[in-house]
Structure formats: C-alpha cells, structure tokens
Amino acid sequence: IPRRIRRFFEFVRPDAGIFSLSQMPMELSWGAKHASRVLCSASNGSPISIWVVGTLSRLTVSCGTRDMGSTTELVIEFLRSVDQEQHGRLLLLGRSSTEFRATRRSRVRSGAQLLDAFYDATSDFTDKTEMLRVSPTFFAVGDVVLAECMCIRRKRDPGCGSRDWSSWGTEFELVSMSVLSGVPRRLAPIVRDTFTDHL
C-alpha cells in the first residue's frame, strides 16, 4: 500500500471530530436531542466524521420523486483486517466483514436532490472548496477511495410513533467521497451518427 494511502488509514484530528475507522476513540455515545441518531464523542458530545478507505466495488445513484427522494449507495472492499474488525464492532455485528456499505438518502421540499460531494483527490487532498468536484461517473470499480461518513442509528419501526430508541439498527451515512488512486481508464470511441441538420 503506497505511503500516501497509509496516511489516510491513520488520520486523526480530534478538534475537528475526524477519525479514520481504525482510530476511533474508545469512549463513544449517541448524541443528545436533535443529534440523538448520530454517533458522537463521549468527551464533548460532538458528532464524529469517520474516514473509510478501500477499493470501490459498487456505486449506485438513483433519483426518485419528491416523496421518495434520491439515494446514493457506496460499497467498498476493505484493504486491512483491522478496519474490518472495527467496522463489525460499530455495526454491532459481532463479526468482521470484508465489505463496507454507506448510503445517503436525500429529500427536499422542491424535489429529490442528489448527493454532489464527489472529489478527485488523486494528486492532492485539501479543503473541499479547493478540490476538483467530479461526477459519480468519474469513479471506476477498483479505484482506491476515501468515504467520509457518519455512523447513525435508524429506528427499526419508524411508524410506531415512539420517541425513544428502544429498537434500532446502525448504519453509515455517506457525506462525501474522494478517489485517492484510480485504475486505468479506457474511453469508449465516439460513434459517428448520421445526423446532419443544424438546430
């Protein structure tokens, strides 16, 4: 694994609430009030941003109606066993998994809104305002990617009307995604059609 990629594996910045998956703090808690669904640091109650690095296995983007919303789903393969083990602990699986899955569901009053936080970090990773934003189609299976996520809990029966968290499941919510190292691309040739008019 290249040295540059290894730096992301071990990255920690507690003051910003950023931790790579294997460097998560030992003391964790669910947030209070409006942040009760988000995993936070027990020391200050701030939400934690989790960095996960792996090879891209699948990226699916679907745009639905205003009622259904849009969904972005990411699946990556872990590069290290220590990340597999930590992933299993966070999801309360009781076992490790070679596959990491993160989802982002979006819905706004005016209609479905797609996640647009995709970046090219093959040469540099810095403040998002200075990074090149790309389309989801920029990514390819096999790319080494960085997924920035929040660990959240979701009620198993959201329609029951209960305000407490008596029954819930844990999952990862995708915040942004960056390609750190890409596999070789091969562009399909442009096929000339027979359209000759001018519009």
Side-chain angles (χ1 to χ4, degrees):
I1 300 176
R3 182 176 174 223
R4 177 173 181 263
I5 304 299
R6 294 201 305 269
R7 292 173 58 192
F8 288 92
F9 283 134
E10 308 300 332
F11 187 83
V12 174
R13 190 176 170 188
D15 61 313
I18 302 173
F19 297 88
S20 60
L21 185 59
S22 64
Q23 302 298 312
M24 295 282 289
M26 296 298 293
E27 298 295 328
L28 299 168
S29 65
W30 295 108
K33 297 181 180 179
H34 65 279
S36 62
R37 64 190 286 267
V38 182
L39 192 64
C40 300
S41 168
S43 62
N44 57 21
S46 299
I48 290 176
S49 176
I50 306 171
W51 284 15
V52 183
V53 177
T55 55
L56 180 61
S57 176
R58 186 170 73 250
L59 177 61
T60 306
V61 178
S62 62
C63 184
T65 63
R66 181 172 62 181
D67 295 329
M68 295 295 294
S70 63
T71 302
T72 303
E73 184 178 50
L74 163 72
V75 179
I76 61 179
E77 295 285 333
F78 289 115
L79 296 173
R80 307 186 307 167
S81 59
V82 64
D83 294 320
Q84 297 177 26
E85 294 164 2
Q86 177 69 346
H87 172 249
R89 282 194 291 269
L90 285 176
L91 292 186
L92 307 177
L93 295 175
R95 58 178 175 81
S96 63
S97 172
T98 61
E99 194 175 78
F100 173 83
R101 186 184 305 267
T103 304
R104 176 66 172 266
R105 301 174 181 88
S106 304
R107 187 185 302 171
V108 294
R109 290 174 182 250
S110 58
Q113 179 177 340
L114 293 172
L115 177 69
D116 61 355
F118 299 95
Y119 301 92
D120 179 4
T122 53
S123 59
D124 190 25
F125 186 88
T126 182
D127 187 281
K128 295 293 193 303
T129 60
E130 300 179 14
M131 291 175 62
L132 176 63
R133 182 173 288 183
V134 297
S135 163
T137 59
F138 180 81
F139 296 83
V141 172
D143 284 349
V144 177
V145 299
L146 167 67
E148 298 179 65
C149 311
M150 309 289 281
C151 185
I152 65 172
R153 55 179 176 173
R154 194 177 298 277
K155 293 181 180 179
R156 297 193 185 279
D157 186 9
C160 66
S162 174
R163 293 186 178 181
D164 62 10
W165 290 93
S166 56
S167 178
W168 46 270
T170 310
E171 62 186 62
F172 290 93
E173 183 174 84
L174 183 63
V175 176
S176 69
M177 177 177 167
S178 304
V179 57
L180 303 179
S181 177
V183 296
R185 267 61 167 172
R186 186 175 68 177
L187 298 178
I190 298 176
V191 179
R192 182 180 297 276
D193 59 26
T194 58
F195 189 81
T196 56
D197 290 338
H198 298 278
L199 297 179

